[in-house]
Amino acid sequence: MPAAEVDIDENLVAKLIEAQCPELSDPLRLTANGWDNAIYRLGDDLCVRLPRRQVAVQLVVNEQRWLPEFASRIRTPIPVPVHSGRPTAGYPWPWSVLPWRAGTVASELPAAERASAAAGLAAFMTELHVPAPPDAPPNPARGVPLANRAVDVEERLASGKIAGSERLRTLWRQLLATPRWDGPPLWLHGDPHPANLLLSNGKLAAVLDFGDLTGGDPATDLAAGWMVFDAPARKVFRAAVEVDTDTWLRAKAWAIVIGTAVAVHSDDSPRMAAIGRHVLEQVLLDD
């Protein structure tokens, strides 16, 4: 995990709340300290999300700018900020107060127990995937032509860290020949792995972390078919999103793109390592 570039603790978060939104003041407790953000639970109904690295700052700005607009047309709950925090002398970056959603993160459940979320995730993506405006946030790692990611994928497959790398390399090179997306750039979540999905009673309860939000090829998001589900649920998911064969093949290629990235960068995160293994196993299962 990358080192934090600022020191974030409960005292700092309490001071930010008191200075900018004192009406939201409530007990705080740390619930996550991830690659890019620290998250503190704020009372029972809210949480505070603060970048711990400069690279994550623009991602928070993107969420603050665009998620309120998405909420007007997407029925699935998403983390629309309750308060968009400003930089201060004690903390240099924007930060957000968000609703706290009850449920279980999908990555904590076996793949078979995620199956009943397939239709809900397909509905979310269908509502999200509409043409994006010219000022949609750029993202060189998501939504782009597969050829733009080829060098990175080949390096990961040659790293010695990925089981089945030879079969994956053969499949990857075949999928690279799939015709590229020729439609307008569509809005994308950009990071559709199961740690960003919240389930309740087996159903999709919320989609989290829109930090990779961008416009581009919807196949990037449809990689969730392999990242989240097993083979039976993947069939349900594909039928519900109603995509053409080329888009589905590119989605499989994107599962390799994202799956290899997760697999080689998760030595200190058992949860993410398990996600990486799952997606690459599912890709080869379909091969």
Side-chain angles (χ1 to χ4, degrees):
M1 181 184 292
E5 296 169 9
V6 295
D7 293 326
I8 300 173
D9 58 22
E10 184 177 314
N11 183 56
L12 169 65
V13 180
K15 288 181 178 178
L16 291 172
I17 296 293
E18 178 60 29
Q20 297 189 28
C21 47
E23 72 280 4
L24 301 179
S25 181
D26 252 324
L28 290 160
R29 63 183 184 276
L30 180 67
T31 60
N33 199 19
W35 274 48
D36 293 332
N37 298 282
I39 298 177
Y40 281 79
R41 185 86 178 264
L42 177 61
D44 294 329
D45 300 323
L46 299 172
C47 64
V48 187
R49 188 162 177 254
L50 309 96
R52 59 193 294 277
R53 301 195 297 149
Q54 174 70 50
V55 70
V57 173
Q58 187 59 45
L59 310 184
V60 170
V61 173
N62 292 342
E63 290 184 337
Q64 292 176 346
R65 163 66 180 86
W66 293 106
L67 292 193
E69 292 190 16
F70 289 179
S72 66
R73 60 179 178 81
I74 293 175
R75 288 171 291 178
T76 303
I78 59 177
V80 179
V82 172
H83 172 80
S84 295
R86 305 179 303 277
T88 69
Y91 181 75
W93 300 324
W95 50 280
S96 298
V97 179
L98 308 167
W100 178 265
R101 303 290 183 185
T104 302
V105 176
S107 58
E108 298 177 3
L109 300 170
E113 295 182 20
R114 308 171 194 163
S116 56
L121 185 58
F124 161 77
M125 290 187 178
T126 299
E127 292 176 346
L128 175 65
H129 292 170
V130 301
D135 60 340
N139 189 329
R142 297 288 191 267
V144 297
L146 290 170
N148 293 27
R149 306 309 318 276
V151 171
D152 290 338
V153 172
E154 293 283 354
E155 288 179 351
R156 293 171 197 147
L157 292 173
S159 68
K161 296 183 176 182
I162 296 176
S165 59
E166 289 302 321
R167 290 177 61 198
L168 286 165
R169 183 179 292 109
T170 298
L171 177 59
W172 165 251
R173 292 176 179 177
Q174 291 171 348
L175 292 170
L176 271 177
T178 307
R180 62 188 291 173
W181 173 250
D182 62 359
L186 303 185
W187 274 120
L188 307 177
H189 176 274
D191 199 16
H193 61 67
N196 286 335
L197 306 177
L198 195 67
L199 274 56
S200 179
N201 296 319
K203 305 295 185 181
L204 184 65
V207 176
L208 311 174
D209 194 349
F210 283 70
D212 278 313
L213 177 70
T214 191
D217 181 357
T220 303
D221 279 355
L222 299 175
W226 292 266
M227 299 195 72
V228 180
F229 302 119
D230 58 15
R234 189 157 48 252
K235 293 180 181 179
V236 175
F237 178 72
R238 181 183 181 179
V241 292
E242 299 182 345
V243 297
D244 61 85
T245 298
D246 286 343
T247 299
W248 190 247
L249 289 173
R250 289 195 311 277
K252 188 174 185 178
W254 272 102
I256 297 176
V257 174
I258 302 173
T260 54
V262 174
V264 301
H265 294 296
S266 299
D267 291 343
D268 59 352
S269 176
R271 179 176 70 167
M272 296 305 291
I275 291 172
R277 287 193 301 272
H278 170 83
V279 60
L280 298 179
E281 288 169 357
Q282 291 297 310
V283 165
L284 290 176
L285 182 66
D286 274 1
D287 185 19

